[in-house]
Amino acid sequence: TTDDLKAVGWLLGTGADLKPVREYFRREINEEQLSILNQLLSSSIVVKRKNFKFALATATENFYVDDAAVAVSRTMDMKGLDAIVAVIRMDERIHLIFRSSTELFNCSEMASSFGGGGHSYAASAVVKGMTVSETTDRIKILFENIMPSEIKAGELMTLSPLTIPASSSMEE
């Protein structure tokens, strides 16, 4: 109901853990969604950065599968992920489904890079003019931009380096 969604929104606003809420709203999965779930589980590439666990997963079906997002959410739960991007080729189109349980990964921003939309914890997009491989490569680049793998020298440098004259001794 509308009141349930308002309550969930309030919980998110106060920093509540989404996992018990997701468990409450868990839905049954049909045969087509199960096929996608199995593909997502087996294709998941999991990346860990600091205390963040992200996955990129792919699946392919020759027909459109209604509510494939159920399989994506289940994959996220089963793998214990903080965020997931699923690249699912269905009926000659590439569908992107973004899910997150943390503010570190904004699904809406990622989806907007592909012309899609949603909100910070769930979003989607339909990709045009790209292959699955090109799409996953672009997602990897976007992920590196928001969650860099290592500290860059520029992050450690000061704007004005401290210098001493070449004639200075070690004691000085």
Side-chain angles (χ1 to χ4, degrees), residues 123-148:
S124 64
V126 176
V127 177
K128 295 176 181 134
M130 294 174 72
T131 66
V132 169
S133 178
E134 291 168 337
T135 304
T136 57
D137 287 347
R138 186 166 169 204
I139 291 166
K140 290 174 187 175
I141 291 167
L142 290 170
F143 179 73
E144 284 297 326
N145 289 336
I146 61 169
M147 297 292 291

Side-chain angles (χ1 to χ4, degrees), residues 70-171:
V70 171
V72 177
S73 294
R74 289 277 175 94
T75 302
M76 187 172 158
D77 291 341
M78 293 171 77
K79 294 261 186 191
L81 302 169
D82 296 301
I84 185 170
V85 178
V87 179
I88 306 173
R89 188 178 164 279
M90 295 186 281
D91 195 26
E92 303 303 319
R93 298 176 117 188
I94 297 173
H95 298 261
L96 302 180
I97 301 172
F98 303 85
R99 293 293 182 266
S100 175
S101 63
T102 175
E103 293 177 3
L104 293 174
F105 186 90
N106 188 315
C107 294
S108 179
E109 288 178 10
M110 289 286 285
S112 69
S113 298
F114 293 92
H119 56 84
S120 57
Y121 296 101
S124 64
V126 176
V127 177
K128 295 176 181 134
M130 294 174 72
T131 66
V132 169
S133 178
E134 291 168 337
T135 304
T136 57
D137 287 347
R138 186 166 169 204
I139 291 166
K140 290 174 187 175
I141 291 167
L142 290 170
F143 179 73
E144 284 297 326
N145 289 336
I146 61 169
M147 297 292 291
S149 59
E150 55 189 51
I151 297 172
K152 308 285 189 240
E155 296 170 345
L156 300 175
M157 292 173 35
T158 59
L159 293 177
S160 302
L162 301 174
T163 61
I164 59 171
S167 60
S168 298
S169 68
M170 289 299 287
E171 289 85 32

